[in-house]
Amino acid sequence: MANAATQVLLPTSFSDPTMTAKSQETWKENLNMQLICKECREDPPNLVEDFAAGDTICGSCGLVLGDRIVDTRSEWRTFTNDDQNNDDPSRVGDAANPLLNGSQLQTEISFSGGASGKSRDLSRTQNKVTHDKSTKTLLAAYKELGAFCDGLSLPKNVSDTAKHLFKIVHDKNAFKGKSQETVIAGCIFIACRQCKVPRTFREIFALTKVPKAEIGRIFKNLEKFFAEQNEEKKKAAQAGGAIDLNNPEFNSTESTTPKELCVRYCSNLNLPQQCNILSQDIAKKLESIGSLAGRSPISTAAACIFMASHLLGMGKTAKDIAPVAGVSDGTIRNAYKLIYVEREKLIDPAWIKEGKVELKRLPNA
């Protein structure tokens, strides 16, 4: 039998790709600078930064390698000034508030209980000199406006928008014959509409005690005033070729629709999301049909919720919905009579086909 050819493998028969790549790399100078102790020459070096003295010291032999180093740590720590007799060592003030006038950069002479009489006199004198009546009026108005927004459980963006609108009115010295509460009520009403969380005149009246008719008048006057301010800004921007980013353009508001009110009323009635969607769908179709044209959006939204809750078998009575919507149960029933006639047009056939709703559950008008 013929012997098979034997192949002798030598060490040079195999090539290591990593070794080949390393051999092909060109030599490069290491330009990274590293500070080491010239006495110890340890690598890596054992260096200690003494920020109190501003020196860089070798931790092994104690040789000073550098001086005047910059301390990049925080200058100090404060724990709500509890252990410092209310003496805040911070050298920076609050951030600039765009809702107040002026640069807001000033130095105040502090005064505490243990200070001398001269410190007290200097503090009083400075307060008299730097006293700004305009800023004080704005701060008082903002405090009142914030309290009203908290009473209506409005989000922060609504409060900030209302404050911005009030500042525009205050800077122009407009509506001098109107009380401050009336202007604040109008600004809150407009801010609610702009931020898509509408509130009714009745809700603003219940909080601010400004009559509904007065709120309606100031609302129309404010809308006209802000529209005129917009036109002036546009003309000034065209003439100067600049845009004022600090004062954004005012967008005129639209009237509140029943669909927008259904969301909040369903939430206050603890109704499920399915009822919320159905009531909004009914309210949207009512706008095209026009069965409740001319009626208040509040009564329309209440009637839509009344119908939707019965269609889903969660029947809410008119007396249950009345306190949430702020209308009488008779008003809700009268509005329901008008939309009951159009019930087949208002309800999507797909809902009936899927068995989600049943027309026979609706009470007779």
Side-chain angles (χ1 to χ4, degrees), residues 256-365:
T256 305
T257 62
K259 181 181 177 181
E260 294 173 334
L261 295 175
C262 285
V263 180
R264 184 156 52 90
Y265 291 167
C266 287
S267 177
N268 294 338
L269 289 167
N270 295 322
L271 291 172
Q273 183 67 15
Q274 194 176 18
C275 185
N276 183 8
I277 296 173
L278 180 58
S279 61
Q280 290 185 64
D281 189 51
I282 295 173
K284 185 177 180 180
K285 291 182 178 178
L286 272 176
E287 295 178 4
S288 58
I289 295 176
S291 300
L292 295 180
R295 281 189 171 267
S296 167
I298 304 174
S299 58
T300 303
C304 293
I305 294 173
F306 179 81
M307 173 178 278
S309 63
H310 281 85
L311 284 170
L312 295 170
M314 311 168 184
K316 289 283 185 181
T317 63
K319 290 185 178 181
D320 296 333
I321 303 174
V324 174
V327 294
S328 64
D329 54 342
T331 303
I332 298 175
R333 283 194 291 267
N334 291 335
Y336 171 71
K337 290 178 182 178
L338 298 176
I339 65 175
Y340 179 78
V341 181
E342 307 288 347
R343 58 188 181 277
E344 295 182 356
K345 297 180 182 178
L346 296 174
I347 301 169
D348 191 351
W351 288 69
I352 301 175
K353 187 179 295 183
E354 294 174 4
K356 295 181 180 178
V357 300
E358 295 181 11
L359 290 175
K360 63 181 181 181
R361 294 174 180 168
L362 289 176
N364 295 325

Side-chain angles (χ1 to χ4, degrees), residues 52-80:
D55 298 333
T56 304
I57 306 170
C58 176
S60 300
C61 66
L63 182 66
V64 178
L65 303 177
D67 58 354
R68 296 183 181 180
I69 61 173
V70 178
D71 188 356
T72 58
R73 302 173 303 173
S74 60
E75 191 170 2
W76 41 51
R77 294 183 299 169
T78 55
F79 299 94
T80 65

Side-chain angles (χ1 to χ4, degrees), residues 146-194:
F148 285 152
C149 290
D150 291 340
L152 284 173
S153 300
L154 296 172
K156 188 177 182 299
N157 63 331
V158 177
S159 176
D160 292 343
T161 304
K163 290 176 183 178
H164 173 70
L165 296 175
F166 181 86
K167 184 177 184 297
I168 296 175
V169 176
H170 181 270
D171 291 346
K172 296 295 182 180
N173 291 323
F175 306 103
K176 287 186 177 180
K178 299 289 185 180
S179 66
Q180 181 173 288
E181 289 76 13
T182 303
V183 178
I184 287 176
C187 291
I188 292 175
F189 185 80
I190 294 175
C192 288
R193 284 193 172 184
Q194 284 195 332

